[in-house]
Amino acid sequence: MAHNVYDELMLRNDWYTIWKKSHPNISSPQRLENLWVKRNQHKFIAAARHTLAGMLAMPYDSDLKDQIHEALVLDATLRAGRTKIAYN
């Protein structure tokens, strides 16, 4: 989800230029993207969980639904212990 938002944001050349100028030591576009995702992925956790939960009500194959359910259950245990992330 974070990668998709990055792609959409960086379609605007002004955003990409600002992001690239703020990290002059990173020349690789892939590294720039990975850095942005690392710093912002926490903002997408709730939306990703909501999307996955909504998929459980859709007519997907039962194996996929089982995988989604397991991921949500496992994340719920992590969520309880998740602490504030220090951002670089």
Side-chain angles (χ1 to χ4, degrees), residues 19 22-23 26 34-40 42 84-88:
W19 179 244
S22 67
H23 300 87
I26 301 176
N34 289 341
L35 177 61
W36 190 92
V37 168
K38 181 180 176 182
R39 289 186 179 177
N40 292 282
H42 68 282
K84 187 171 179 140
I85 301 170
Y87 302 104
N88 299 334

Side-chain angles (χ1 to χ4, degrees), residues 15-56:
W15 283 59
Y16 183 75
T17 299
I18 292 168
W19 179 244
K20 187 171 172 136
K21 281 184 180 179
S22 67
H23 300 87
N25 57 329
I26 301 176
S27 58
S28 162
Q30 187 62 47
R31 287 186 60 216
L32 281 168
E33 178 174 351
N34 289 341
L35 177 61
W36 190 92
V37 168
K38 181 180 176 182
R39 289 186 179 177
N40 292 282
Q41 65 186 354
H42 68 282
K43 298 174 183 174
F44 300 95
I45 293 172
R49 287 183 55 80
H50 182 75
T51 299
L52 288 171
M55 290 174 71
L56 293 174

